[in-house]
Every structure is written in structure tokens, then in C-alpha cells.
Amino acid sequence: MSVLDSKVPKGPLKDKWTDYKNHIDLVNPANKRNIDVIIVGTGLAGGSAAATLAELGYNVKAFCYQDSPRRAHSIAAQGGINAAKNYQGDGDSTYRLFYDTVKGGDYRSREANVYRLAEVSANIIDQCVAQGVPFARDYGGQLDNRSFGGVLVSRTFYAKGQTGQQLLLGAYSAMNRQIARGKIEMFNRHEMLDVVKVDGKARGIIARNLVTGEIERHSAHAVVIASGGYGNVYFLSTNAMGSNATAAWKIHKKGAFFANPCYTQIHPTCIPRSGDYQSKLTLMSESLRNDGRIWVPKKMEDVLAIRSGKLQPTQIKEEDRDYYLERRYPAFGNLVPRDVASRAAKERCDAGYGVNATGEAVYLDFKSAIERYGNEQAKLQGLNNPSKEKITELGAAIVKAKYGNLFQMYEKIVDQDPYKTPMMIYPATHYTMGGVWVDYNLMTTVEGLYCIGEANFSDHGANRLGASALMQGLADGYFVLPYTIGDYLSNEIRTGKIPTDSPEFEEAEKEVTEKINFFINNKGSHSVDYFHKKLGKIMWDKCGMSRNATDLKKAMAEIKAVREEFYKEVNVPGAANEMNPELEKAGRVADFLELGELFAKDALMREESCGGHFREESVELDGEQKGEAKRNDDDFAFVAAWEYKGEPADAVLHKEQLEFKDIELKQRSYK
């Protein structure tokens, strides 16, 4: 019997959330003034939750390691946010968004959570418009939409290529209002290093002031983790270099189960790696696949000529180009889901058709879109027989209006003009669908400890559709957590202020201090980054876009060996009682070195291919789906929730069986 209780309400799927809200316990406004909530992380999920809970009357303490919530990594989200408002009149609905999300996640997500996400999605857009988020508009002044991968409708709202930044500014303005009112106490440049449990309930955190090095105790009636994903376990990823798994991993070690760590998204549209000394990778928005066509040369001699600089991609004729996504997936073309597009790019590059010096790049070409838009504009402007140059000029202006900042970013990094020559892209580690296990209320397996946004596992299954991360983060923060946490806090109105001088706080602070002192006093022979890069290479080579049992077993052993070497040989310069970025990194990499091994263990256990988890032993061998991922629904239609038992290799597996009552469980097809 599993110890997991998802607490999904009874009744029809479409009524669950409404009926749930109608029957939960509430906290009256006068009592909310006496209840404290800690929120760790101030991206879209944490920022929106902090603003909303403070607006409701709770006392909120918000923590971020950046110098301002404005710098949370949510700003890096480029292409848009999904919502089922059907402004385009193209057949979208709450059910279709729900269906696309479950199918896109390869049928490995919890139906009830995903339906709720689709249900509240429309509210998010109204909320953000009211905040002044400058969404793109069509010629009539209505909000515009574009398409993202894995869907046949246009439901993605966007603000050029900087949607995440604009949405975060909206949440930040809502936070600032509450900070000014004194309802949010903001702790910038603070990092949570442990959670404190009293009588089994989360009652506070231990945090380090990153400017002074001071260790601080903070108490609350509930703790919310909104600290993002763990993509930097690969070292090279599209995540900000400061993005880390420490908050999520610390609560895992205190009793919160960690679910599906092997579900990691490789994004197909990134600027290729340029060398061994690169510190991060840059994402080019999936929105570019609306108008960009992905291809490689058909002829090997053309590939070799391009690599040697003897041939430019613009010189290759149409008939000599392999638009491989359009060829393999005619129904969805260039807008297949990310996991499908990434594996297809890898297959072409592994076959020798990669177009850059490393052989790890394909083209994303806007020539057709520029011509199409140019011809359309020429007709609208009444131009008869416009020159080719004029058509290109008019088309490029439209593309610039839609994606200009993305094109500018690409040109600055690669020093090539993407209006004139195709972009080069290659898959890279991006989003993590796995995370802390939560129930329907977004509570972890620790009472009073919640987890929202990318830090939890709940909504995306084995693969996230593009533009759904912002949707989940804001849904959790604005429209889900404020209800569900109130149900729990209704039992805390007589608790009173939580003291920080209890033995539990003493012990937690002692553990944190000892760990810090260990790093400062170790005086090994290698830097933190030396070990992080070693971990990243193991992860990419053996737990990357494809995995197999042999490599995963090797990965577990190798990661353990790196971890043991890390504790013997890591060198952290500076002192503990000062600003010390290397000390920050040491703690984060220590957590990655444990999480990485659990990741490999989870991938080894899951003997199927699903979404971003592609096992080479589980592939369709014949028929229309030949070469595609092969799920095993009989044995693996469950959430893998791991309980901490010391060493990652000793973690205990708990299964939450997934039920599909409203969607037929079948193999995905985008053909």
C-alpha cells in the first residue's frame, strides 16, 4: 500500500476544482493577520503567490538569492504563455488544452491537476492584462496568439520574445504594492539552506544572508518552495548560472518525496555549444518554429562543404534540403513537441548531417516566412510587381516586429545576421518536469510544506509543451495555492507566533553552520566548477537525450565517485562571514552531486521511453511509429516518488498510480 495520498477530489473532472473550493475551510480576514507564510523564490510562481497571499491578508516573508525579484530566472522565458480563451476561433477549449497537455506529457501526469491548470488558464490572462502586461495585439486591438509545439491551435499569448520578463514585472509590481503596505517582508540576497520541522510540520527555514554571511532563522506557519528546476545538474543548460536545486533538495532530505527526477526536457532550439570552456547555453524561443523551417542538407558533400566554409547554406537549392520534421511529422511539421524535435535533430546529427564545425547543429531558416510576409505586405500596400529586394525588406520588417529581440540576441552571440542566413540550433538541457512530489493541494509529504511552479512535479508529465511553464507558475501562485493553503492554515489560527529558539531551529542551524565550515576549512586542490563540469559531462553523456541501462549504471557509480572526490578535494576560497559566491556554489554543487545519482537511479528504474526520458531499449521497431519512443503503460503508468534514506542509491520508491478516466491512454502520434 502506497503512503502517497494525492487527495484528488471525487466527482467529474470538470467539477472537481469548483466543488473543492466550495467545501474547503477558510480563514477569516482578522485571523489572516496573525498567520505567517514563508515563500522561497520570487519568480512567477513565488512572486504571484507572495503578492496574492499578502493581498489576502497573510504576513508573507519572501526570499530570493538575487538582488531583486526582478532578476528571477522567469525573465528568461521568451515565447509566450498558454491559455484556453479561443480568441482565434480555431477550435480551442479548456478540454483541448487539458488533452494537449496530457498527451504532450506522454500520459505521465495527473489528470485532475492538468484539468485544473487548463481551467484557470484564462483567468491568468485577465489578471496580467489588468496589471498592464503589454501582450501583442492583432490589427483590431484584440490580444494576439501564436502556436507552439504539440498543438493544432493558436493559444499562446506573447509579448514579443520577452514574455517572461513582462509577466514577472507584473507580478513584481503586485509584490511591491504589498511590500509598501508591510504585508511582504522581502529578503533579497538570501539563500534558504534548510527547512525546520517542529512536531512533523514545516515551521520555518534557515537562511544565509549572502552579503554578510550571517545565518538567520525565520519562522512561519507554512513554508512554500518556489525555487525553480534543477537543469543545472548538467552544468551546461539554458538556465541562469545561479539556478539551483538546493531548496528542493534540502526539503527532500527532510521528508519531502522527490518525483520523476529523470523527466528532464532537452529544448530543441538552442544556440549550439562553441567549446569546452563555455559556462551556459542560450535558448532561442520555440516561438521561432512558428515561422522558421528546420532543415539539414540532403547531400553529405554539401554538409562537408558547409563545415569547411566552401559553401553557404543560402547557396543550397530547395530540392537539396531535408526539412526532416516536415517529412517525418506532416500533421505537426516544425511544431512537434520539444522531445520529438530534439531527438529528430540528434538523429540527423548522429547520422553525420550536422552543419557546424562540431557536427552538432541544424538550420532554422526564415527565408520562406520573410518571402510570405513580404508578398502579403506588398499586396496590402498595393505594390504591383515589387522587386525581390522590396519583398525581402517588407517581410523582414514583419519578422522583426514578432521576433526582433531574439534575432538581435542571436546576432550578438553568433555574429551572423539571421535575416540573411539561417540560424544554427541544437538541443540543450532546459526545463525539469520532475521535482518535489505534491498532492492536489500542492502540499508535499511534509505537513505545512508546499511546493509550486517548476520546483514541483505536478502538471507536465514526461514532457512540457512550450509556453506551459509560465501558465503553471502563475496558475499555482495566483489561483491555486491561495485556496489550498488556506484550508491548511484554518487549523493554525490558534497556534500563535512560532518561536525560533526551539531545539529544532538550534539543530537545523548547527547542521547548516557545520556544512559551511567544512567547505571553508577543506582546502582541497580543485575548484567547485571542476567538479560541476565533471558531473555535467557524466549527466549529458549517460543521462542526456537518450539513455540505456549500461550507461545509467555507470553514471550512478561515476557520480558517487565524483561526490566522494568532491568532499576530499574541493577548495572554497574566502571566509564564511562575507560575500562568497564560491561558497554558495559549493553547497549547490554538493546537492547536484546527490540529485544526479538519484536522477540516474530513477532513469534506470523506468524501463520505458516516455517524453523526455528516452530509453534506447524501448523503441518502436516497425509500423508507422518506427523509431519513436515506446511507452509501457502496463508497468510504468505511475509517478515515481522517492523517499530519502541517506545515500541516493538507497532511496525508496513509492508509486502513485495514474488513472486516465477522461482521456484514452494511447501511443502519441504527431504524424
Side-chain angles (χ1 to χ4, degrees):
M1 183 68 181
S2 174
V3 298
L4 298 172
D5 179 4
S6 64
K7 294 187 172 65
V8 173
K10 305 292 184 190
L13 191 64
K14 64 183 179 61
D15 298 329
K16 287 183 188 294
W17 180 232
T18 301
D19 288 348
Y20 172 90
K21 289 189 293 181
N22 286 342
H23 295 96
I24 57 173
D25 291 334
L26 302 175
V27 182
N28 84 42
N31 286 330
K32 285 173 184 165
R33 292 195 288 268
N34 300 318
I35 292 178
D36 304 323
V37 180
I38 284 173
I39 297 179
V40 179
T42 54
L44 284 181
S48 59
T52 307
L53 291 176
E55 179 75 39
L56 288 171
Y58 297 105
N59 307 310
V60 176
K61 294 181 178 180
F63 294 79
C64 71
Y65 69 79
Q66 299 94 344
D67 60 352
S68 164
R70 290 193 314 277
R71 296 192 190 276
H73 190 54
S74 297
I75 65 164
Q78 299 164 337
I81 176 170
N82 290 331
K85 291 181 84 72
N86 194 30
Y87 280 175
Q88 303 289 324
D90 57 359
D92 201 10
S93 65
T94 296
Y95 182 85
R96 190 172 290 277
L97 174 52
F98 157 66
Y99 173 81
D100 287 342
T101 304
V102 173
K103 178 185 176 184
D106 220 351
Y107 303 90
R108 289 294 176 263
S109 48
R110 189 190 289 152
E111 269 195 348
N113 284 63
V114 180
Y115 193 87
R116 177 175 64 187
L117 174 66
E119 198 177 345
V120 305
S121 65
N123 299 340
I124 298 169
I125 305 304
D126 297 338
Q127 170 88 2
C128 294
V129 169
Q131 289 174 337
V133 173
F135 285 122
R137 306 223 169 217
D138 64 17
Y139 70 96
Q142 299 297 313
L143 295 182
D144 200 11
N145 291 112
R146 55 190 178 202
S147 293
F148 262 58
V151 304
L152 294 172
V153 297
S154 295
R155 66 161 67 102
T156 303
F157 296 79
Y158 63 97
K160 245 183 178 180
Q162 49 186 249
T163 314
Q165 183 177 21
Q166 297 301 330
L167 291 171
L168 187 64
L169 289 172
Y172 177 66
S173 66
M175 283 185 71
N176 261 349
R177 179 169 175 270
Q178 301 304 326
I179 291 169
R181 292 178 65 221
K183 294 305 292 182
I184 294 179
E185 189 176 1
M186 190 66 229
F187 293 88
N188 299 328
R189 302 295 289 135
H190 279 68
E191 182 168 25
M192 170 191 154
L193 295 179
D194 211 349
V195 66
V196 180
K197 292 197 314 186
V198 180
D199 297 329
K201 294 182 177 181
R203 291 304 199 192
I205 66 169
I206 305 297
R208 180 173 181 266
N209 182 321
L210 298 181
V211 177
T212 66
E214 184 182 356
I215 304 301
E216 301 174 2
R217 304 176 188 181
H218 296 275
S219 67
H221 298 89
V223 176
V224 181
I225 303 299
S227 54
Y230 50 90
N232 277 350
V233 71
Y234 284 88
F235 183 69
L236 279 180
S237 83
T238 64
N239 291 186
M241 291 186 68
S243 297
N244 64 86
T246 288
W249 194 251
K250 296 303 187 191
I251 68 170
H252 171 56
K253 295 174 81 166
K254 285 292 179 74
F257 292 2
F258 207 96
N260 303 332
C262 76
Y263 289 167
T264 311
Q265 183 161 86
I266 310 296
H267 197 295
T269 321
C270 300
I271 296 177
R273 179 177 62 90
S274 60
D276 291 337
Y277 296 97
Q278 197 163 339
S279 56
K280 81 174 295 293
L281 296 169
T282 303
L283 175 70
M284 301 307 296
S285 170
E286 182 177 316
S287 62
L288 297 174
R289 290 200 272 145
N290 269 278
D291 287 312
R293 299 177 71 194
I294 296 172
W295 64 277
V296 293
K298 287 181 180 177
K299 300 175 182 175
M300 187 56 70
E301 57 262 36
D302 288 344
V303 173
L304 298 175
I306 286 172
R307 286 187 194 169
S308 64
K310 295 176 183 175
L311 192 66
Q312 296 300 313
T314 51
Q315 296 173 298
I316 296 180
K317 298 175 183 175
E318 278 293 309
E319 60 266 28
D320 293 329
R321 300 180 178 195
D322 178 14
Y323 294 97
Y324 58 87
L325 290 178
E326 297 171 34
R327 167 172 57 83
R328 290 178 60 177
Y329 308 101
F332 284 75
N334 295 295
L335 284 171
V336 292
R338 291 173 176 178
D339 59 320
V340 177
S342 293
R343 284 194 294 275
K346 182 177 187 295
E347 184 275 327
R348 286 291 78 198
C349 291
D350 287 351
Y353 291 89
V355 293
N356 68 349
T358 65
E360 294 183 341
V362 299
Y363 287 128
L364 178 63
D365 196 336
F366 283 82
K367 179 173 177 286
S368 296
I370 288 172
E371 287 180 2
R372 184 177 73 251
Y373 286 129
N375 282 313
E376 183 182 273
Q377 287 299 304
K379 286 185 173 67
L380 289 170
Q381 294 179 25
L383 302 177
N384 294 318
N385 299 317
S387 66
K388 188 177 179 181
E389 289 75 18
K390 186 62 177 178
I391 288 172
T392 300
E393 177 191 329
L394 293 171
I398 298 298
V399 169
K400 184 176 183 180
K402 295 176 79 171
Y403 312 111
N405 60 311
L406 299 171
F407 276 52
Q408 181 186 41
M409 184 169 69
Y410 181 88
E411 186 170 4
K412 284 184 178 296
I413 293 170
V414 181
D415 197 26
Q416 291 182 1
D417 184 351
Y419 294 100
K420 296 178 180 176
T421 189
M423 291 183 181
M424 286 187 291
I425 57 169
Y426 192 70
T429 304
H430 180 52
Y431 188 92
T432 51
M433 287 75 65
V436 178
W437 185 90
V438 292
D439 62 18
Y440 190 74
N441 301 314
L442 304 181
M443 192 191 288
T444 70
T445 44
V446 174
E447 204 175 349
L449 181 58
Y450 291 79
C451 190
I452 61 176
E454 188 181 358
N456 76 28
F457 89 102
S458 70
D459 291 359
H460 305 296
N463 173 63
R464 178 176 66 75
L465 293 182
S468 286
L470 307 186
M471 177 174 63
Q472 185 212 345
L474 292 181
D476 285 357
Y478 282 137
F479 298 110
V480 179
L481 182 77
Y483 283 99
T484 62
I485 200 170
D487 190 40
Y488 170 77
L489 292 173
S490 65
N491 294 312
E492 298 291 334
I493 59 175
R494 295 176 186 83
T495 302
K497 207 77 175 167
I498 309 291
T500 59
D501 58 357
S502 64
E504 291 85 355
F505 274 91
E506 294 274 358
E507 182 60 31
E509 182 179 331
K510 182 167 172 279
E511 285 179 24
V512 166
T513 304
E514 286 175 353
K515 189 76 172 276
I516 288 171
N517 290 337
F518 166 80
F519 286 132
I520 292 296
N521 297 324
N522 197 51
K523 306 304 179 190
S525 55
H526 293 297
S527 69
V528 175
D529 279 345
Y530 169 85
F531 294 101
H532 198 176
K533 287 179 181 178
K534 286 184 81 167
L535 171 65
K537 180 163 176 53
I538 296 168
M539 295 297 297
W540 183 251
D541 290 347
K542 297 181 173 67
C543 309
M545 270 193 277
S546 63
R547 297 128 189 213
N548 61 67
T550 302
D551 280 349
L552 290 168
K553 288 173 184 173
K554 287 180 182 174
M556 288 185 68
E558 289 174 16
I559 293 169
K560 183 177 181 179
V562 172
R563 188 168 68 247
E564 289 172 351
E565 184 190 3
F566 171 81
Y567 279 104
K568 290 176 185 173
E569 294 296 337
V570 71
N571 187 314
V572 178
N577 58 345
E578 63 182 12
M579 182 181 282
N580 190 339
E582 286 301 303
L583 177 59
E584 297 167 36
K585 280 198 289 187
R588 296 166 187 171
V589 172
D591 295 327
F592 281 137
L593 284 164
E594 294 180 349
L595 172 56
E597 188 177 344
L598 183 65
F599 184 126
K601 180 184 176 74
D602 185 51
L604 181 63
M605 174 279 299
R606 190 167 287 278
E607 296 175 345
E608 65 163 352
S609 291
C610 59
H613 170 63
F614 187 77
R615 282 289 292 267
E616 293 164 10
E617 303 93 334
S618 189
V619 181
E620 298 286 356
L621 298 177
D622 48 38
E624 187 189 56
Q625 295 295 103
K626 184 177 180 181
E628 300 296 327
K630 184 179 181 180
R631 284 201 328 268
N632 178 352
D633 295 329
D634 291 338
D635 299 320
F636 292 98
F638 62 78
V639 176
W642 297 93
E643 181 181 4
Y644 180 77
K645 289 292 184 182
E647 286 288 308
D650 298 330
V652 172
L653 174 64
H654 299 274
K655 299 178 182 180
E656 179 196 340
Q657 293 296 330
L658 294 169
E659 295 182 352
F660 295 92
K661 296 178 180 177
D662 287 73
I663 288 181
E664 181 188 355
L665 195 58
K666 61 184 180 181
Q667 291 292 328
R668 283 192 306 174
S669 174
Y670 292 96
K671 296 189 175 185

